[in-house]
Amino acid sequence: DGVLSLVSHRKGASAITAVDCNSRMVAAYHRNMVDNGISLDNFNVLKEDITDYGFKRKIHLRDIDVVCANLGAEQYLGNPDLVALDLLAEMPNTRYFIGGGYTSTDKHNPVDAFQRLRKNGFDLIRVVREEKLWTDYVPRIAFVAERIN
């Protein structure tokens, strides 16, 4: 829906590439940018599945400074969260990875993501865990990692 891109833009990003496999989310992305008065001139929005490695021909991986991925573990076919982390090996200029969509449950926890980050030369600098708000609520987890080598 573009909320991570919106925050990135407001924090000073000069060029943003967003990738989503859901055409409704791509449409929502455009709507949200327009509704917030943001020109789409410096935004590249692709309807692609990152687990299909053909999408890499459409973006310049070496030009990406920060990756924001709200994918979570085992929530989508092909585990795109791990695919996104593996792509970091082809992104030598990426300094930060911001991940979200994880939970404290066994199935959706970020343990594999943390291991992939370390394998790709990143170190966790912040992990945010929501408090449990009510009995049936599963707290979400997000994190920020920085390239250390």
Side-chain angles (χ1 to χ4, degrees), residues 51-71:
T51 63
D52 173 6
Y53 285 98
F55 96 95
K56 293 189 300 184
R57 292 185 303 263
K58 299 179 181 182
I59 61 175
H60 302 282
L61 294 175
R62 299 182 80 71
D63 295 340
I64 297 173
D65 301 318
V66 178
V67 173
C68 299
N70 191 26
L71 298 169

Side-chain angles (χ1 to χ4, degrees), residues 20-147:
D20 202 305
C21 64
N22 184 324
S23 57
R24 290 186 314 193
M25 288 293 107
V26 170
Y29 180 98
H30 284 101
R31 245 187 345 271
N32 286 337
M33 294 303 114
V34 170
D35 288 351
N36 282 280
I38 297 172
S39 167
L40 295 174
D41 293 342
N42 294 323
F43 290 81
N44 183 20
V45 184
L46 303 171
K47 184 196 169 295
E48 296 289 333
D49 179 351
I50 69 167
T51 63
D52 173 6
Y53 285 98
F55 96 95
K56 293 189 300 184
R57 292 185 303 263
K58 299 179 181 182
I59 61 175
H60 302 282
L61 294 175
R62 299 182 80 71
D63 295 340
I64 297 173
D65 301 318
V66 178
V67 173
C68 299
N70 191 26
L71 298 169
E74 297 187 36
Q75 296 188 45
Y76 304 97
L77 186 62
N79 289 327
D81 68 312
L82 300 180
V83 172
L85 292 164
D86 287 342
L87 285 172
L88 292 170
E90 301 177 48
M91 304 165 79
N93 298 315
T94 299
R95 180 154 178 180
Y96 295 99
F97 187 96
I98 302 167
Y102 296 89
T103 69
S104 57
T105 64
D106 289 340
K107 185 174 182 179
H108 300 295
N109 73 56
V111 171
D112 289 340
F114 293 165
Q115 291 172 349
R116 298 274 175 112
L117 282 164
R118 288 183 187 100
K119 179 183 117 189
N120 284 297
F122 284 76
D123 198 13
L124 291 168
I125 57 174
R126 180 75 190 255
V127 177
V128 179
R129 291 178 170 83
E130 284 184 319
E131 293 181 31
K132 189 166 184 161
L133 301 176
W134 56 84
T135 306
D136 295 335
Y137 182 73
V138 178
R140 294 174 290 185
I141 299 171
F143 56 86
V144 178
E146 181 178 23
R147 189 179 297 272

